[in-house]
Amino acid sequence: MTLGQLNAFVLVARLGSVTDAAKALGVSEPAVSQALAALRQHHGDKLLIKRSGGMTLTAGGSRLLPIASQMVALGAEADAAVRQANGVAARLQLAVTSEIAEFVANPLLEAFTRRSGNAIDASSGLARTAELPVLITNRLADVALGPDVTGDAGDLDCTPIFRASLVVVGSPHCRHQGSPAHWPWLLDPAGADPGSDTGRLLARLGVPDDAIQVFPNQTAAWSAAASGGGVSVALEHLVAPQLRRHELAVVPTRHTPMSTCWYVTTLPTDRRTGAANSLRHFLTTPAAMHVMRAPGSGVPPSRFRPPVYVTIWS
């Protein structure tokens, strides 16, 4: 029995599928299946049974899950302790939703590491809203930035830090009439995430799945909307440059502007890393507020890291 096998088991149990667990770990689905098979053979128990609604824990799997979660967390703590003892830069992994990933995550981490007095190896990764508490609990991420996950977070610390407004945008040269449910919606990956702010807005407007087209990022979705292909969703302060240049225009709906709030989610104080504590504190400072409000100042080429379009890190 290895930590890798236990990690695979915990993620499949928490996320409900081998596919999602493989994405979270940054490995192939067969690798996760093999890890589960080895663990099942070791314990002589199926542990997880695939049902129509997802994965169901056996009685043995239910007993193993909390123990396995603790062992995985201790493994991450052991790795961090050895890195610290060897003078290696502390690792900090930030999980963000797609509304934040493209424009905000990298400038925010750049500003944080520039101000931090300690050597920190910081990176960010894209995750769906439902994955955020799972990634934090299993220490695949140290800090999450996105919607409120209080209902799924258990004993995690989830605190509001930044308020914004979500708007619908489209070409200034097109008139969008009739029900929004009948418009073509051109969206970034948040359009496929029912727990995201974009997903909640689409639900309020009654937009069906067949009216949604998902693009790799917000820039591509906004560009398609500006060309007259449909409408898109944007955070008002992030799309402001396109609005000022009249590349896009706000399209009124009965549910927009929709107020949103970004939350920072971490482990409780006694279990989070020093780097996570530092980032959590930084996110409440005026410098962080400025970056989240106007992130377009850029970063030096040596520090540039392109947006991550996979679920999370290996």
Side-chain angles (χ1 to χ4, degrees):
M1 183 171 60
T2 67
L3 282 175
Q5 294 166 4
L6 292 172
N7 206 3
F9 164 69
V10 170
L11 285 174
V12 172
R14 300 291 192 198
L15 297 176
S17 80
V18 170
T19 300
D20 290 344
K23 288 180 180 179
L25 289 169
V27 301
S28 66
E29 291 182 38
V32 174
S33 297
Q34 289 170 11
L36 282 178
L39 199 60
R40 284 164 168 160
Q41 183 176 6
H42 177 84
H43 288 290
D45 190 300
K46 290 186 176 180
L47 302 177
L48 285 160
I49 300 173
K50 189 173 183 179
R51 307 285 190 190
S52 58
M55 293 288 191
T56 302
L57 289 165
T58 65
S62 296
R63 295 283 186 92
L64 176 62
L65 182 58
I67 299 171
S69 297
Q70 292 178 21
M71 293 174 72
V72 168
L74 287 172
E77 289 180 11
D79 179 67
V82 173
R83 288 174 64 88
Q84 183 179 15
N86 290 330
V88 179
R91 182 180 292 128
L92 177 70
Q93 295 170 325
L94 172 68
V96 294
T97 53
S98 63
E99 296 105 330
I100 301 170
E102 185 174 353
F103 299 112
V104 177
N106 285 341
L108 195 61
L109 288 180
E110 163 63 19
F112 166 66
T113 55
R114 190 169 57 242
R115 289 169 61 97
S116 176
N118 301 318
I120 296 177
D121 179 16
S123 61
S124 65
L126 178 64
R128 292 180 299 171
T129 303
E131 293 173 337
L132 296 179
V134 178
L135 295 171
I136 296 294
T137 300
N138 290 280
R139 294 182 182 264
L140 286 172
D142 302 292
V143 181
L145 189 58
D148 182 8
V149 294
T150 304
D152 304 312
D155 63 346
L156 298 184
D157 193 333
C158 188
T159 305
I161 59 165
F162 185 80
R163 297 195 177 278
S165 293
L166 212 59
V167 294
V168 176
V169 295
S171 170
H173 310 295
C174 295
R175 297 185 64 184
H176 301 278
Q177 299 178 337
S179 170
H182 300 141
W183 299 344
W185 289 81
L186 315 173
L187 305 170
D188 68 283
D193 180 0
S196 69
D197 292 326
T198 297
R200 292 191 298 110
L201 175 60
L202 296 175
R204 291 182 183 182
L205 293 171
V207 178
D209 287 346
D210 58 10
I212 298 171
Q213 185 176 354
V214 179
F215 290 76
N217 51 57
Q218 291 175 86
T219 298
W222 295 351
S223 177
S227 299
V231 297
S232 191
V233 174
L235 288 159
E236 192 170 19
H237 70 288
L238 295 183
V239 80
Q242 287 84 347
L243 297 177
R244 285 195 298 268
R245 294 193 296 264
H246 303 290
E247 297 169 2
L248 290 167
V250 173
V251 179
T253 76
R254 67 183 184 279
H255 289 297
T256 52
M258 186 181 90
S259 296
T260 66
C261 186
W262 295 351
Y263 288 73
V264 56
T265 302
T266 62
L267 291 169
T269 306
D270 60 339
R271 294 169 52 203
R272 72 176 77 118
T273 64
N277 263 329
S278 297
L279 179 58
R280 187 183 180 91
H281 172 73
F282 173 72
L283 290 174
T284 64
T285 64
M289 294 297 122
H290 174 74
V291 173
M292 288 186 280
R293 193 173 296 112
S297 58
V299 299
S302 61
R303 299 301 300 271
F304 174 73
R305 296 180 181 179
V308 180
Y309 294 125
V310 295
T311 301
I312 207 74
W313 314 263
S314 59

